[in-house]
Amino acid sequence: MENIAFIGLGNMGGPMAVNLLNKGFKVSAFDLSADALAKVAAAGGRAASSAADAAESASVVISMLPAGKHVAGLYLGDNGLFARLPKGALVIDCSTIDAGTARKVAEGAREKGLSMLDAPVSGGTAGAAAGTLTFIVGGAAEDLAHARPVLEAMGKNIFHAGGAGAGQTAKICNNMLLGILMAGTAEALALGVKNGLDPKVLSEIISKSSGRNWATELYNPWPGVMDNTPASRGYAGGFMSELMLKDLGLAEETALQSHAANPLGALARNLYEEHVHQGNGKLDFSSIVKHFHSLN
C-alpha cells in the first residue's frame, strides 16, 4: 500500500485524506490549520510539521491548494518538494489552477524524474466526504494507471482529459458552466418568489421540466428547500464564492488567450465579483441568490 503525503486539508482536502485512511492507505498530512490537521490525525493519519516532513518517505504526494502560485511554490525551486522527492515518485495536484501553471509544474516534475498529474475534482464537499468525487485528469496515461487505485479511494468517476494541463482546462470549462447555472437558477427562483411562488414547489417543477440542472436537483440555493445543502445552514461550508470567482476568472483568462467567446462566463464573473465585494466571499457560491433576493 502506498505511503501518501497530503498537502492542503480544507473543505475538500480534509475529507479526501480521511477517505484514503479509511481505505487503508498510510497518510502523512500537512496544513496551516491546526484544526484541520487534528481531524486527519483523529482518523489515523500522521500530522506533519511541514510539507517537507509530510513528503518524507512518501511514494505519492497529493496537493489541494487555493491557487496556482501556491502549487508552484510548493513544488518548484530549491526548497520545493521536487528537490526532495525520490525519482519515480508520483505527484497528483487536485487543486483548480490555470493550465499554464499546471504544465509548468509538470515540466518541473519531468526534469526531476517524477510523474505528475493535474487532477482537479468535481462533486463538492458532499462528494469529498462520501468518496464520490469526479477526477478530471491531465497527464500521461501510464501515470494515471499508477494513480488510479489512489483516486478510486476518493472518487467514483475518473476521466482522462489529455496531456498535462488538460485536466485544468476541462475543470475550468465545467466550473464556468456551474457558475452560470447557479446564477441563473438563483435568478429564476427569486423571480418566482417575488411573484408569490413557493420556492420548493418551483424547484420541483423546474427539476422535472426543461430547466432542470444540478443546482435545482442536488444543490438548491434557496434556504429550506433542500436539507444538507449550504443554503440550509446559512451558506456555511461548501465551495466558497471567492473560489468560484477565481475559477470564473481563470475561464475568462483562458478564453482571452485562446480567442474564444465567453459572454455568459464573463457575466457570471461580474455577478460573483460584486457578490464577493459585498462581503460574501467566504459563503458558499449558492449564496449568489442574495444578489437577486433579500433573504434577511
Side-chain angles (χ1 to χ4, degrees), residues 129-200:
T132 58
L133 291 170
T134 292
F135 287 90
I136 308 167
V137 183
E142 57 268 28
D143 294 334
L144 175 54
H146 179 187
R148 191 170 288 274
V150 175
L151 299 180
E152 287 175 344
M154 302 179 288
K156 186 177 181 181
N157 303 298
I158 301 169
F159 293 102
H160 188 200
Q168 297 297 346
T169 300
K171 174 63 188 297
I172 288 166
C173 291
N174 178 79
N175 274 27
M176 181 185 75
L177 180 57
L178 176 60
I180 294 168
L181 287 173
M182 184 57 78
T185 298
E187 184 176 2
L189 290 176
L191 177 63
V193 170
K194 189 74 172 179
N195 286 275
L197 296 182
D198 182 320
K200 192 167 189 176

Side-chain angles (χ1 to χ4, degrees), residues 77-176:
D78 293 341
N79 295 319
L81 291 188
F82 287 168
R84 300 169 178 268
L85 292 171
K87 290 186 183 300
L90 173 64
V91 177
I92 307 170
D93 180 46
C94 295
S95 318
T96 297
I97 63 173
D98 63 285
T101 296
R103 288 190 289 267
K104 178 182 177 181
V105 175
E107 179 59 32
R110 283 192 293 271
E111 291 173 356
K112 296 292 186 179
L114 307 169
S115 300
M116 177 86 191
L117 297 172
D118 51 283
V121 302
S122 180
T125 53
T132 58
L133 291 170
T134 292
F135 287 90
I136 308 167
V137 183
E142 57 268 28
D143 294 334
L144 175 54
H146 179 187
R148 191 170 288 274
V150 175
L151 299 180
E152 287 175 344
M154 302 179 288
K156 186 177 181 181
N157 303 298
I158 301 169
F159 293 102
H160 188 200
Q168 297 297 346
T169 300
K171 174 63 188 297
I172 288 166
C173 291
N174 178 79
N175 274 27
M176 181 185 75

Side-chain angles (χ1 to χ4, degrees), residues 9-10 29-42 46-49:
L9 305 172
F30 176 70
D31 192 276
L32 295 176
S33 167
D35 289 342
L37 271 176
K39 290 178 182 177
V40 174
R46 183 177 77 88
S49 59

